[in-house]
Amino acid sequence: MWLPLQKGGRLLDVGCGSGDFMARMRDLGWQVAGVEPDPTAAQLAQQRGLEVHQGTLEEAGLAEESFDVVTLNHVIEHLPDPISVLQTCRRLLREGGKIVIATPNSRSLGSRYFGQAWLDWDPPRHLYLFTRYSLGECVHRSGLCPLEVRTVAHSAWWRFVTSKLIRQNSALPGGLPIGELLRVKGANAGSRLQGLVFQLLEQSLLRTGDLGEELVLIAGKQR
């Protein structure tokens, strides 16, 4: 999540799932807490000894100005009211704190190539999808100050392969790890090679436009 080693820093992961990211950051020296609406995932994280509040961010009752960093990794696209949640994140940040957001890029090379078959449209689970401008506008309206925004291509290969499967076959089983999903639906070596070529192409085009599959935005809290 584009964060430095910051021993003693306090981090909140919104939509933490079963706590994999939190556990890694804890091992790197961060003090970590998480919020997760899914009760099963929250329980799994708690069983790992992690501080996880089950429910929404607003329901967690966290103290204002108690975190140095808040992360939302592929969360904001699921939220009915993104700006309201970002405003809550701002209240939780200490002065000088940062929020890091990763989300699908609706103007990526993959979205342009695959059209309606692009994996990350993902209805009905994705309620909003963003461009560089619209994500920055949401952050600005929440009272945060955008510091950096970029697109990245490191996940492009499997998004290509899965989008290709969607184009070929309208039914994809939900809830499977990506490796199992690709195996079940017959992603052969040729498709995987095409995916790697696509990722290299997308990586080479990042300097010429916002074509990466994911948007990453880092914003700060200022008085």
Side-chain angles (χ1 to χ4, degrees):
M1 290 298 286
W2 296 269
L3 292 170
L5 176 63
Q6 185 174 337
K7 289 184 179 294
R10 186 153 168 76
L11 179 149
L12 175 67
D13 189 25
V14 179
C16 64
S18 58
D20 290 345
F21 173 69
M22 291 175 62
R24 290 197 298 271
M25 297 306 286
R26 178 182 61 183
D27 292 344
L28 288 171
W30 290 78
Q31 300 174 41
V32 295
V35 175
E36 173 53 49
D38 181 77
T40 301
Q43 184 178 25
L44 288 171
Q46 292 163 354
Q47 290 171 353
R48 303 169 77 169
L50 296 166
E51 177 192 340
V52 173
H53 303 268
Q54 195 272 309
T56 67
L57 180 61
E58 292 79 4
E59 294 168 344
L62 298 166
E64 293 190 4
E65 299 190 345
S66 57
F67 293 95
D68 299 293
V69 172
V70 177
T71 57
L72 295 94
N73 187 14
H74 284 259
V75 168
I76 194 169
E77 63 269 21
H78 298 276
L79 302 175
D81 191 344
I83 294 175
S84 175
V85 172
L86 291 174
Q87 289 170 337
T88 301
C89 291
R90 183 186 184 280
R91 291 194 292 270
L92 296 175
L93 281 174
R94 295 167 178 156
E95 185 175 0
K98 293 181 180 179
I99 184 169
V100 184
I101 302 168
T103 189
N105 173 23
S106 67
R107 291 187 178 173
S108 73
L109 185 62
S111 73
R112 300 178 192 210
Y113 180 76
F114 286 104
Q116 292 184 349
W118 184 53
L119 169 68
D120 279 305
W121 296 126
D122 199 15
R125 293 183 296 178
H126 287 179
L127 304 180
Y128 293 95
L129 286 173
F130 299 89
T131 65
R132 179 188 185 109
Y133 172 79
S134 64
L135 183 60
E137 183 68 13
C138 285
V139 168
H140 177 74
R141 292 188 188 187
S142 72
L144 292 158
C145 178
L147 302 174
E148 179 182 355
V149 60
R150 70 176 82 171
T151 67
V152 295
H154 65 264
S155 62
W157 80 268
W158 68 261
R159 282 184 160 85
F160 174 93
V161 174
T162 310
S163 298
K164 184 179 177 181
L165 289 172
I166 293 171
R167 175 180 282 175
Q168 294 171 344
N169 185 337
S170 60
L172 287 175
L176 290 177
I178 188 64
E180 182 68 8
L181 172 63
L182 299 182
R183 185 189 68 79
V184 168
K185 300 306 291 185
N188 57 32
S191 293
R192 293 168 186 261
L193 179 59
Q194 288 176 344
L196 290 174
V197 171
F198 181 83
Q199 179 161 320
L200 290 172
L201 173 63
E202 186 169 287
Q203 185 70 43
S204 70
L205 293 173
L206 291 182
R207 294 181 181 178
T208 64
D210 298 327
L211 295 175
E213 296 304 299
E214 293 176 276
L215 283 164
V216 176
L217 188 146
I218 302 173
K221 179 178 179 177
Q222 299 178 350
R223 293 288 185 186

